[in-house]
Amino acid sequence: MTKNVARTTGSMQIKRGLAEMLKGGVIMDVVNSEQAKIAEDAGAVAVMALERVPADIRRDGGVARMSDPEMIIAIQASVTIPVMAKARIGHFVEAQILQSLGVDFIDESEVLTPADETHHIDKLAFDTPFVCGATNLGEALRRISEGAALIRSKGEAGTGNVVEAVRHLRNIFGDIRKITQADSAELFDWAKKLGAPLPLVQEIAETGLLQVPLFCAGGIATPADAALAMQLGAQSVFVGSGIFKSDDPSPRAKAIVEATTHYLDADILAKVSRNLGAPMTGIGMDQINERYAERGW
Amino acid sequence: MKVGILALQGAFSVHEEMLQSLGADTVQVRTTQDLNSVDALVMPGGESTTMSHLLNTSELFDPIAERINNAMPVFGTCAGMILLAKSIADGRPDQRFYGAIDIDVQRNAYGRQVESFETELNVEGLKSPFHAMFIRAPQVVRLGTDVEVLSRHEGKVVLARQGSVMVASFHPELTSDNRIHSLFLQEV
């Protein structure tokens, strides 16, 4: 056998490959090493390192920015699973810093205060993969054309209310289903309506699939919420405030992990949903001042 | 003849598509009932700590160990290779694994995601190179004498076989090339 030496890093296939490895899993928001370890012990596939969970960002107000690198480094040192971190929408320098820290996935996130009200980050310029939020198919395809390797529903972070995530998943999957029924002339109108590149719309018409994995985020608080997202078609779930804002985080985290794997088995869902203590209180959509899902363009 | 794909977490659906492209009858394995219906098992890439945790909670760990002892053909890629190894250099203390192939592995040995890469591999028995993707990949750090090496990259063993157990540190399921899955199915 001859020796193989050439290596290519940072390709779109390598970025999407990591997203593929995270499927069927739970990505948990953590604010310190102790929480990161609880998350890993509970079976999380990755952690999202951030200074405040969305529920606290919502409560405190002010400008929410990228976390202190020191805190991200401490979390990286405490677990062996992938570590993600958030950059503000359009803040490509925060993304450069996160890439330099060796973060495994960068979330260009509406939970932080946007840095640019017109442009998202040119994600093709990075070797680190990006995940971006979307409320509908047009938004998802714009992010994919900018180089996102993974899309998540935006939901409404920090509310413990799954209603917006459900709306976004139904929007995206509903439009994909309709596009597979459209004829070739109608695809031009779909591209115009969605504000999305025509070749990506044509590809969806052919395959019936989004080009990258689609996960659920924003408002998941219970094992049943996670299974609902999975049955609607999401391939993994992000849980933000839902775990560490509940009464007893560790059992709830484990239960959400099991529910995400066994999302079609109601007997297992019934078993893991028992005796978890109180979930985060949650808030109704009419009680919030600012919808994070409206950030991003 | 049915081929199971361990579907607790990870890249199981792409493995399933690849096996189906070779005409295999496939089953996603999440319970012991699923396991009892299959003649071979693929363990996909994903997070090995998560899979180890879910193998316990799903009460699948011991039944799979018993099937492997009874010579069920099994193919592990990346996290699957970690689960099948004899020892894990930097695993979690509570992480369980099968010791089904005489290798020791080190998790995330190539570094974080920015170090993940694609390359061409020469594989024993394949006429042309195989395009391989290594994603936060493990490395074989000790090789038993009875293990057959099928491919190396930069001197490290990346595809190996011992009896009915085959392991890859890369992801043949992420390409459109089904030749390595075909090698596994020849064993089945």
Side-chain angles (χ1 to χ4, degrees), chain A residues 23-26 42-45 254-262, chain B residues 6-10 30 47-61:
Chain A
K23 279 187 181 176
V26 183
V45 288
K254 286 179 185 160
I256 292 177
V257 167
E258 285 189 64
T260 304
T261 291
H262 299 287
Chain B
L6 188 66
L8 297 175
Q9 191 273 315
R30 291 188 182 84
E47 277 308 311
S48 62
T49 51
T50 303
M51 282 189 223
S52 169
H53 175 80
L54 286 163
L55 280 165
N56 280 332
T57 57
S58 309
E59 294 170 1
L60 267 175
F61 190 90

Side-chain angles (χ1 to χ4, degrees), chain B residues 118-176:
Chain B
E118 314 178 43
T119 190
E120 302 292 321
L121 294 178
N122 291 306
V123 175
E124 239 8 272
L126 301 187
K127 291 191 181 76
S128 57
F130 189 91
H131 189 75
M133 275 179 254
F134 290 78
I135 296 174
R136 288 174 46 96
Q139 249 173 24
V140 174
V141 292
R142 185 194 61 82
L143 183 73
T145 48
D146 293 334
V147 180
E148 180 191 0
V149 175
L150 299 176
S151 185
R152 287 179 189 267
H153 176 258
E154 295 177 355
K156 301 285 180 194
V157 175
V158 294
L159 183 65
R161 188 162 56 189
Q162 183 178 16
S164 56
V165 181
M166 187 162 112
V167 294
S169 53
F170 57 97
H171 293 282
E173 75 281 8
L174 290 181
T175 62
S176 52

Side-chain angles (χ1 to χ4, degrees), chain A residues 65-88:
Chain A
R65 311 177 179 89
M66 176 188 79
S67 297
D68 180 347
E70 189 63 31
M71 170 267 190
I72 295 170
I73 291 166
I75 287 174
Q76 284 174 321
S78 68
V79 293
T80 64
I81 54 179
V83 176
M84 304 187 176
K86 290 181 194 289
R88 283 179 265 178

